[in-house]
Amino acid sequence: MTTETFEFQVEARQLLQLMIHSVYSNKDVFLRELVSNASDALDKLRLAALRDDAPDADVSDLHIELEADKDARTLTVRDNGIGMSHEEVTRLIGTIANSGTAKFLQELREAKDAAGADGLIGQFGVGFYSAFMVADEVTLVTRHAGETQGTRWTSRGEGTYTLERLDEAPQGTTVTLHLKPADSDDQLHDYTSEWKIREIVKRYSDFITWPVRMVPERTGEDAGDREPETLNSMKALWARPRDEVSDEEYHELYKHIGHDWRDPLETIRLQAEGTFEYQALLFLPAHAPHDLFARGYQRGVQLYVRRVFIMEDCEELLPSYLRFVKGVVDAQDLTLNVSREILQQDRHIRMIQRRLTKKVLSTVKDLATSAPDKYATFWREFGAVLKEGLITDSENREAILAACSFASTHDADAPTTLKDYVARMKDGQDDVYFMTGESRQAIENSPHMEAFRAKGLEVLLLTDPVDEVWVDAVGEYDGKALRSVAKGDIDLSGAEEDKSEAEKEKQGEAYAGLLGWMTEHLGDDVKEVRLSSRLTVSPACVVSDSGELTPALENMYRAMGQEVPEAKRILELNPEHQLVKTLNRAYADRQDRTELTETAELLHTLAVLAEGGRPKEPARFVQLMADRLERTV
């Protein structure tokens, strides 16, 4: 038969070299591309047979076959799928020589950043040419199902390629790679090695629909008796009906992709149909990994396109506050660059992320009522991570809040939701009260809690570092403001009968002199000294002004290397405490207030210690305390 030789254009040659040397970061993916192409050809033949478009085609044993020849150093990928006609080979395999290549290369050179270049490459999807990364020469023999003639395409990936018509050729497509010598320095493996071929198929093509077969190597007496083995499992659990898959099979898949030895806490299935189809199988782990909060934590789910593995940790499919979720997303079509290693940001990706996020959040919320024990485990392990979404994801904030629970003074053991908190609010209570701290015990023992405890007002006890931030970001729930019991001027008179305004005014006048004097003498440490409505037992406490950072939040920002000006806080005195009453009388009676100055300083330091802070000058505090104790012995 006549063989025709065609010469690549200069631009096409440059583009081919770009793809071979620059596009792919892992040479192993060449086999993924060829197996994926073969799988597509088998899909097309099955569809054609169903439509009766290929009446003479053989569909009795559709499969993909791999054959390695160590002596000849060749690797062959063969399928008995739809195949290509001579015209299709010229048009499809010869795409790289089309006249539009020059324009494409010009656009590629003019792309100002890597993302732009990737987008341009993505318009030119020809993964077949990845074979030239590992082969000096590639030969393709193909025959379209139902036709009698075949076509052979051959190229060394340099200046030319040849086309030849064949009178005889098997149905489907056979791609033979004449492999380059193995080179470990160039990450070029021996692709005639059986274990290497098995590894690549298992990693990238394990779940495709069709069997990938290979005759195993044999030595000795068994060398001549060799039957093909199927290398892939073909068990894409996410594509099978729920009633056909056991929990054990789901759990085994989770352990494999999650690198975990425990069963998952919950399995989540999702299937979207219509103009854009995808399937998802997600898992909530039963425990948090040790590096969940580390900066370099590898997050994301595995991404497949038509059951072909694309990406290990696809961060774009779930927000960072759901980084603990493991699983698989299998889409029918996505905008990928030519290497399939970079996911283009398009509306399909955003659509999947929104749907997966809502599904995970609704599942967590449902666990709280349908499986309280599972929910308790989830919240203990991942609650602090989930609450990050209250800061970063305003679109789903209500759904996140609905999935959250918080410790509160209502119950020493069982947490509460904000919905239940609001339902229990007392008549006249307008705010949702909370307090942040290092532990439940530290918060409950805080002086700030005294009046709330005395009046029976429920307070949320927030002990995660992220709680310092999200409460300000959220601001309110169901029209009720989120109010810190340790910030601002708290007025509890609306929640229960309290002193009359006249009594408050009279008390304020009685203490006005002391408050002004203490504000002056403690001016280096406090912004203001005032009477407190939140204290019932302790003599004093320090509070932050409304809108200011708490000390814990200041420390967090400093730990992250951010400069934060240290704000003065407010010292509140309990006018009903005997120490404060005595101090007020002494202030009124004495002209020499040197000793009272030390008492005021001690009172302020004791208030700082009561909330877990440190004295500004520990040595001076110890000296003053020692002097006072010496006089009382």
Side-chain angles (χ1 to χ4, degrees):
M1 301 299 292
T2 303
T3 300
E4 299 177 276
T5 300
F6 299 88
E7 185 172 341
F8 286 128
Q9 297 175 355
V10 175
E11 294 87 351
R13 195 179 309 159
Q14 292 174 347
L15 181 56
L16 181 56
Q17 293 302 309
L18 170 71
M19 295 177 66
I20 294 171
H21 299 293
S22 304
V23 172
Y24 294 90
S25 61
N26 181 4
K27 292 181 172 61
D28 289 355
V29 298
F30 83 92
L31 189 54
R32 175 193 71 184
E33 297 297 313
L34 296 181
V35 171
S36 178
N37 289 344
S39 177
D40 290 344
L42 294 171
D43 288 337
K44 290 175 182 177
L45 180 59
R46 180 176 62 176
L47 184 59
L50 291 173
R51 292 174 175 172
D52 216 16
D53 292 339
D56 298 328
D58 180 8
V59 294
S60 59
D61 182 26
L62 299 181
H63 66 278
I64 301 165
E65 184 179 347
L66 306 180
E67 181 183 341
D69 187 329
K70 285 185 175 293
D71 296 332
R73 286 205 54 76
T74 61
L75 176 64
T76 300
V77 180
R78 184 181 297 111
D79 71 75
N80 56 348
I82 192 71
M84 288 180 283
S85 65
H86 186 82
E87 186 274 333
E88 286 176 324
V89 172
T90 304
R91 177 168 51 86
L92 299 176
I93 304 298
T95 298
I96 200 166
N98 280 355
S99 59
T101 305
K103 180 181 178 183
F104 174 85
L105 269 181
Q106 182 179 355
E107 292 176 346
L108 187 62
R109 295 191 192 101
E110 292 174 356
K112 296 182 179 179
D113 54 35
D118 289 329
L120 291 170
I121 292 172
Q123 300 170 16
F124 206 88
V126 279
F128 167 77
Y129 284 90
S130 63
F132 286 104
M133 291 190 299
V134 301
D136 290 322
E137 181 177 288
V138 176
T139 300
L140 178 144
V141 175
T142 184
R143 176 172 67 84
H144 193 279
E147 295 187 356
T148 56
Q149 279 195 329
T151 304
R152 178 187 286 119
W153 179 97
T154 304
S155 178
R156 297 184 62 84
E158 296 173 349
T160 62
Y161 61 93
T162 64
L163 285 176
E164 180 184 359
R165 294 181 185 271
L166 303 175
D167 284 335
E168 294 185 4
Q171 171 187 299
T173 301
T174 299
V175 180
T176 301
L177 284 65
H178 299 267
L179 297 167
K180 298 176 181 179
D183 185 350
S184 58
D185 293 337
D186 194 29
Q187 295 184 333
L188 190 62
H189 303 287
D190 180 6
Y191 294 109
T192 65
S193 168
E194 180 179 331
W195 73 265
K196 185 62 181 177
I197 294 172
R198 288 179 180 272
E199 176 193 63
I200 297 173
V201 171
K202 188 69 176 176
R203 175 171 176 78
Y204 292 106
S205 307
D206 193 43
F207 301 121
I208 64 171
T209 308
W210 309 105
V212 180
R213 299 172 183 165
M214 183 175 68
V215 175
E217 296 177 4
R218 292 286 189 272
T219 57
E221 297 180 359
D222 298 331
D225 184 19
R226 300 184 298 169
E227 292 293 328
E229 289 184 9
T230 300
L231 306 185
N232 58 325
S233 70
M234 297 178 285
K235 292 183 178 180
L237 300 185
W238 54 89
R240 293 162 58 187
R242 176 65 182 90
D243 55 5
E244 293 182 9
V245 186
S246 67
D247 289 340
E248 289 72 20
E249 288 179 294
Y250 282 137
H251 294 174
E252 284 304 313
L253 177 63
Y254 163 73
K255 291 173 183 177
H256 171 67
I257 64 179
H259 310 293
D260 195 357
W261 56 271
R262 308 186 200 188
D263 290 340
L265 192 66
E266 186 70 6
T267 301
I268 305 171
R269 287 177 57 98
L270 190 147
Q271 182 165 336
E273 297 179 344
T275 55
F276 181 67
E277 298 182 4
Y278 63 92
Q279 296 161 316
L281 183 59
L282 306 178
F283 302 96
L284 301 181
H287 67 105
H290 66 88
D291 58 345
L292 183 61
F293 291 95
R295 185 181 296 272
Y297 180 73
Q298 292 294 317
R299 67 180 181 88
V301 296
Q302 291 187 353
L303 174 64
Y304 286 73
V305 174
R306 293 190 296 276
R307 301 194 186 185
V308 176
F309 177 72
I310 301 299
M311 199 177 301
E312 180 70 40
D313 301 299
C314 185
E315 297 183 357
E316 291 87 349
L317 294 178
L318 281 172
S320 63
Y321 65 88
L322 296 180
R323 59 184 175 272
F324 50 84
V325 175
K326 302 297 181 183
V328 171
V329 172
D330 186 3
Q332 289 303 302
D333 193 21
L334 278 180
T335 306
L336 304 167
N337 77 333
V338 70
S339 70
R340 306 195 191 199
E341 295 173 346
I342 298 174
L343 198 62
Q344 305 299 315
Q345 288 293 335
D346 65 8
R347 63 187 184 87
H348 290 151
I349 298 301
R350 293 189 293 273
M351 185 192 310
I352 295 176
Q353 188 194 79
R354 282 197 294 268
R355 182 85 183 275
L356 296 184
T357 299
K358 291 183 185 300
K359 182 65 175 179
V360 172
L361 293 176
S362 65
T363 299
V364 172
K365 178 187 174 184
D366 292 343
L367 281 180
T369 53
S370 63
D373 291 342
K374 282 187 177 182
Y375 176 81
T377 300
F378 170 85
W379 192 252
R380 181 181 67 248
E381 298 292 327
F382 303 109
V385 187
L386 188 67
K387 286 185 286 189
E388 293 176 9
L390 295 172
I391 306 166
T392 60
D393 189 358
S394 57
E395 179 183 344
N396 290 300
R397 187 169 286 165
E398 289 187 13
I400 299 171
L401 280 175
C404 289
S405 62
F406 311 96
S408 88
T409 54
H410 175 70
D411 192 308
D413 300 313
T416 183
T417 63
L418 286 177
K419 181 179 180 181
D420 290 341
Y421 179 103
V422 171
R424 291 191 297 266
M425 286 174 59
K426 291 179 175 293
D427 292 338
Q429 181 181 345
D430 297 324
D431 302 325
V432 174
Y433 296 114
F434 71 88
M435 184 172 176
T436 58
E438 293 184 357
S439 66
R440 180 181 185 119
Q441 183 179 8
I443 297 175
E444 288 182 327
N445 292 333
S446 169
H448 302 99
M449 296 286 293
E450 292 175 0
F452 295 87
R453 187 183 300 112
K455 295 177 180 293
L457 293 173
E458 183 177 356
V459 179
L460 301 178
L461 311 176
L462 309 180
T463 57
D464 291 319
V466 69
D467 293 328
E468 296 282 353
V469 185
W470 75 257
V471 287
D472 287 333
V474 173
E476 65 172 37
Y477 175 79
D478 194 24
K480 310 290 185 182
L482 300 180
R483 188 75 182 275
S484 171
V485 304
K487 292 178 69 172
D489 191 6
I490 297 291
D491 183 9
L492 301 180
S493 58
E496 195 173 284
E497 285 298 320
D498 211 325
K499 294 178 182 176
S500 65
E501 289 300 321
E503 290 176 315
K504 287 183 179 180
E505 186 176 346
K506 182 178 180 181
Q507 191 176 64
E509 293 174 354
Y511 280 89
L514 175 65
L515 298 178
W517 174 79
M518 289 184 68
T519 298
E520 179 183 353
H521 283 272
L522 297 176
D524 291 340
D525 300 313
V526 301
K527 178 189 297 186
E528 178 189 359
V529 181
R530 67 188 183 199
L531 297 181
S532 178
S533 61
R534 71 186 93 212
L535 296 174
T536 61
V537 178
S538 301
C541 69
V542 285
V543 300
S544 299
D545 208 351
S546 298
E548 290 187 350
L549 300 179
T550 63
L553 196 54
E554 288 180 0
N555 293 335
M556 282 176 56
Y557 284 131
R558 291 192 182 99
M560 292 186 292
Q562 298 187 28
E563 288 294 328
V564 180
E566 191 166 343
K568 294 181 180 180
R569 304 180 70 200
I570 298 168
L571 176 64
E572 291 191 349
L573 304 182
N574 179 4
E576 304 300 329
H577 196 280
Q578 191 58 46
L579 174 58
V580 177
K581 290 180 178 180
T582 304
L583 183 60
N584 191 40
R585 286 196 298 268
Y587 168 79
D589 295 341
R590 301 180 191 175
Q591 295 299 317
D592 182 7
R593 300 191 177 107
T594 303
E595 190 172 330
L596 291 184
T597 302
E598 294 179 351
T599 302
E601 185 179 338
L602 281 172
L603 193 60
H604 170 252
T605 307
L606 289 172
V608 171
L609 288 170
E611 70 162 8
R614 294 186 56 191
K616 185 177 179 180
E617 298 181 45
R620 174 168 173 76
F621 171 70
V622 170
Q623 180 183 355
L624 290 177
M625 284 297 297
D627 290 344
R628 292 302 173 97
L629 291 172
E630 182 181 349
R631 292 179 221 169
T632 60
V633 173

